[in-house]
Amino acid sequence: MGALLEVQHLCTNIEEKKVLDGVNLEINAGETHVLMGPNGAGKSTLGYTIMGNPRYSVTGGKILFDGEDITSLAADKRAAKGLFLSFQTPLEVPGVSLENFIRTSIQQRTGERVKLFQFQKELKATMELLHMDSSYAGRDLNVGFSGGEKKKSEILQLLMLKPKLAILDETDSGLDVDAVRTVSAGIEEYVKNQGGSLLIITHSTKILESLNVTKTHILVKGKIVKSAGPELVDEINQKGFASYETENDEELIGVIHV
């Protein structure tokens, strides 16, 4: 069997600005990959491009998911095939309750009618796992939620939708220690008990402590400049990204001189 996700020589523009420049990435089923890099490197752009956000224009390369070329597929079609993206800043959706949003999303994802009793039972149990007050199920999606509750809401959606691959964009951003621990428990549940695959975009390593990281990638100026095992996370913690940015600049200078 081939990889679950294959990103091949991907180039992406936002309007006229090139952000990704020939990115290659391969994730197999059941793997957890970490994407790190300095601010403005293009990490979130990669996540949005894989998910099919129309603001991000693919100018070269392609994206394969489960062996199918999805480069031109709309975001909702990608979601139905098993892709999931958590937002760095989750959107508020007035007029749509969290419960109804998740239930409708499951129906669109599976193409099957959701049995209400079983759904509500599973929703309640999952909310308890995430230490979420059950009253949040009836509230408008993310409206008036604290930053921590918004992030828990995203992980709740992840666990209920059971996608094949989840892209988590700075899920731990702005969370206190207890919230990070709760969110990490939800992610661990997705990986270990649901068999999900992960691409985690993060600056922090706290959220990785309970996970078995398969591979770590460093993205600098729109290019993946290094990929290695989980030991690369420790290296970044010790040295930061400065040396990788310098190496990337030297490489570019060498190309110009040639």
Side-chain angles (χ1 to χ4, degrees):
M1 285 184 65
L4 178 62
L5 175 73
E6 290 181 77
V7 176
Q8 300 178 353
H9 312 294
L10 185 67
C11 298
T12 299
N13 281 16
I14 299 178
E15 296 176 349
E16 298 302 314
K17 182 183 178 183
K18 177 178 276 190
V19 182
L20 299 180
D21 186 11
V23 171
N24 291 294
L25 178 67
E26 191 172 296
I27 300 176
N28 295 314
E31 292 185 343
T32 294
H33 287 234
V34 179
L35 183 67
M36 305 183 80
N39 290 329
K43 302 184 299 296
S44 294
T45 295
L46 179 57
Y48 283 122
T49 304
I50 292 170
M51 198 64 223
N53 187 317
R55 183 178 171 229
Y56 300 82
S57 304
V58 175
T59 59
K62 59 184 177 180
I63 303 166
L64 302 177
F65 186 66
D66 236 358
E68 179 183 349
D69 188 342
I70 62 167
T71 313
S72 302
L73 214 59
D76 62 328
K77 302 297 184 185
R78 300 187 196 202
K81 290 183 179 298
L83 269 172
F84 176 94
L85 172 66
S86 78
F87 296 97
Q88 207 173 106
T89 306
L91 300 173
E92 296 185 1
V93 185
V96 179
S97 72
L98 174 59
E99 178 177 345
N100 284 339
F101 177 79
I102 293 174
R103 188 180 176 202
T104 301
S105 297
I106 292 173
Q107 288 180 164
Q108 291 180 341
R109 159 97 170 85
T110 63
E112 299 175 0
R113 184 173 173 274
V114 174
K115 295 178 180 178
L116 184 59
F117 176 76
Q118 184 59 38
F119 166 76
Q120 289 180 332
K121 181 180 177 182
E122 185 178 350
L123 182 66
K124 184 174 183 292
T126 309
M127 292 184 80
E128 287 175 357
L129 173 70
L130 297 173
H131 304 296
M132 288 186 74
D133 189 315
S134 59
S135 66
Y136 277 82
R139 291 175 57 176
D140 287 358
L141 179 63
N142 293 328
V143 176
F145 287 24
S146 68
E149 294 299 340
K150 285 181 179 180
K151 296 299 178 75
K152 288 181 184 180
S153 167
E154 294 271 281
I155 301 303
L156 175 66
Q157 294 166 46
L158 167 68
L159 292 174
M160 293 296 293
L161 284 166
K162 303 177 178 65
K164 295 177 182 177
L165 173 67
I167 303 167
L168 306 182
D169 188 5
E170 301 286 359
T171 298
D172 50 350
S173 175
L175 299 183
D176 61 29
V177 174
D178 290 333
V180 168
R181 189 177 295 118
T182 299
V183 166
S184 296
I187 296 170
E188 188 176 8
E189 170 74 16
Y190 167 70
V191 172
K192 293 185 176 178
N193 294 330
Q194 294 188 4
S197 305
L198 278 176
L199 174 60
I200 301 180
I201 301 167
T202 185
H203 281 105
S204 168
T205 56
K206 265 289 179 193
I207 202 166
L208 306 175
E209 289 178 357
S210 61
L211 298 173
N212 182 21
V213 174
T214 309
K215 196 170 257 191
T216 307
H217 311 276
I218 300 176
L219 187 72
V220 174
K221 296 180 181 178
K223 296 176 179 286
I224 290 180
V225 297
K226 185 170 183 177
S227 295
E231 70 280 357
L232 186 53
V233 174
D234 296 328
E235 183 181 314
I236 294 166
N237 280 336
Q238 293 172 10
K239 299 180 180 178
F241 299 114
S243 62
Y244 297 107
E245 293 180 273
T246 304
E247 286 172 14
N248 197 46
D249 287 340
E250 289 174 351
E251 195 175 297
L252 287 172
I253 291 168
V255 170
I256 292 168
H257 285 171
V258 170

